[in-house]
Amino acid sequence: MAEKTPRLQRAQDFLIEQVRLGPVVKRIGLLLHARLDNGADAALSNAHRLQTMVREAADRTYTTFRSHLADFSDDTQRITMEFFFAQSNRLTAPEQVALFLEGNGSAAVAYAAARQRKVPAELQAALVEHAQWCPDAMRALAENPQTSPKTLLPLATHPSREVRIAVAAHIGPRMRIEEPAVDADKRSVFDALVDRYEDSFAPYIIPVCKDSEQLQKMFERSTMTPENAHLFTDNPYASNDILLSVVGSNAIGLLPGGRGVKERARTLVSNRLGDSGPTP
């Protein structure tokens, strides 16, 4: 039977066409048509034959995939493509690490390795050790909800602001989840972000901070916008000193929404002090 899909002539032509259609190389589709003439009963009676057929089809699919990769003359393109399909091809962690090291030095390879749905711990460690120079790969790692906190720790001080923000956006919500096996590692990442606090971390780590001293440290380093002040006043662990500072801030009161934040802070500190009258 004639092939329904034209063979790939040149890898470069293939990539150019995929760029025109959308994101680079979304997938290589291989259609498998299987016909079971005798319905469910035949499938049950021929279970072994069916398993063999599926296994052979999987082998043919992988062989065809490898033959497509052989058309890519550049090793970087080939390795990048292998990482796109690492999960479906069930590459083991050691195999993925070896593949990454083979293409070490390529931003495309590092990014493809880091943006997988599930990056093996061994590959995470290799990426952090050998590819910190690639911000896109490090940000992809930080944005992945399955990335280990141990991997995130060195990224909390990464030179790229985008990578640091991605770490804060990852660890903040995760601090609300009980994960006994990694809670200590999560705390280390959180503490590192507090020690190097910047305003871009505020919406992620201020709401989940339960340490009044850490909140005070972050407050002293914050630009007092109504948005930041609101984050502090909404945190029940914020000290009276923080609330009083918000109440007494003339700058906040002059900005849109600032007056409402000041009134909220005034009400909160009045309730804490048990004073029904206005707070000076």
Side-chain angles (χ1 to χ4, degrees):
M1 184 171 60
E3 287 186 339
K4 294 183 178 180
T5 304
R7 289 184 58 81
L8 180 65
Q9 298 300 319
R10 290 193 305 126
Q12 184 177 5
D13 293 339
F14 173 73
L15 289 175
I16 291 173
E17 178 64 12
Q18 295 308 306
V19 169
R20 186 183 68 80
L21 294 175
V24 177
V25 193
K26 288 184 177 178
R27 64 181 179 178
I28 295 175
L30 297 172
L31 300 180
L32 171 65
H33 297 281
R35 181 180 179 186
L36 300 178
D37 294 328
N38 298 323
D41 290 340
L44 289 173
S45 62
N46 295 284
H48 179 71
R49 179 167 166 255
L50 180 60
Q51 289 176 351
T52 301
M53 183 188 70
V54 171
R55 184 164 51 250
E56 290 175 351
D59 290 342
R60 288 198 301 273
T61 298
Y62 185 71
T63 300
T64 305
F65 172 75
R66 298 296 303 181
S67 71
H68 280 308
L69 287 184
D71 289 332
F72 288 83
S73 59
D74 184 87
D75 282 344
T76 294
Q77 294 176 342
R78 174 183 60 80
I79 296 171
T80 299
M81 285 296 299
E82 291 215 49
F83 272 117
F84 273 121
F85 295 93
Q87 304 293 316
S88 58
N89 288 334
R90 298 185 180 181
L91 293 186
T92 65
E95 288 173 335
Q96 291 193 37
V97 170
L99 195 62
F100 164 67
L101 293 177
E102 182 184 348
N104 188 29
S106 165
V109 168
Y111 180 64
R115 71 185 296 270
Q116 297 180 86
R117 183 182 60 82
K118 185 176 182 180
V119 182
E122 297 91 333
L123 181 57
Q124 291 180 32
L127 281 162
V128 170
E129 181 178 357
H130 299 289
Q132 284 219 34
W133 52 267
C134 181
D136 288 341
M138 296 302 99
R139 185 173 62 186
L141 264 185
E143 290 174 347
N144 190 325
Q146 298 189 56
T147 294
S148 165
K150 286 185 177 180
T151 300
L152 294 175
L153 184 56
L155 301 186
T157 58
H158 194 275
S160 168
R161 178 174 177 270
E162 296 302 317
V163 173
R164 299 193 302 271
I165 293 174
V167 173
H170 177 134
I171 208 65
R174 196 165 174 180
M175 294 299 290
R176 301 181 186 275
I177 305 171
E178 290 189 10
E179 299 175 279
V182 296
D183 277 345
D185 293 330
K186 290 193 301 184
R187 171 54 58 183
S188 295
V189 177
F190 188 87
D191 291 346
L193 292 172
V194 172
D195 289 342
R196 295 175 62 94
Y197 175 81
E198 50 194 278
D199 281 337
S200 55
F201 300 165
Y204 308 111
I205 67 174
I206 290 176
V208 297
C209 184
K210 298 181 179 181
D211 187 301
S212 59
E213 292 184 3
Q214 286 187 326
L215 283 169
Q216 184 66 41
K217 181 186 297 185
M218 290 188 285
F219 183 80
E220 292 170 356
R221 299 178 184 177
S222 291
T223 303
M224 272 300 98
T225 63
E227 181 179 0
N228 281 351
H230 178 74
L231 292 170
F232 283 105
T233 57
D234 274 0
N235 189 313
Y237 296 92
S239 66
N240 289 342
D241 287 342
I242 290 178
L243 297 177
L244 289 170
S245 294
V246 173
V247 171
S249 173
N250 293 325
I252 292 176
L254 296 175
L255 296 172
R259 180 173 295 183
V261 174
K262 289 184 64 171
E263 288 302 318
R264 174 169 173 74
R266 187 190 307 274
T267 300
L268 288 171
V269 77
S270 294
N271 290 340
R272 288 184 181 183
L273 297 176
D275 182 2
S276 58
T279 301

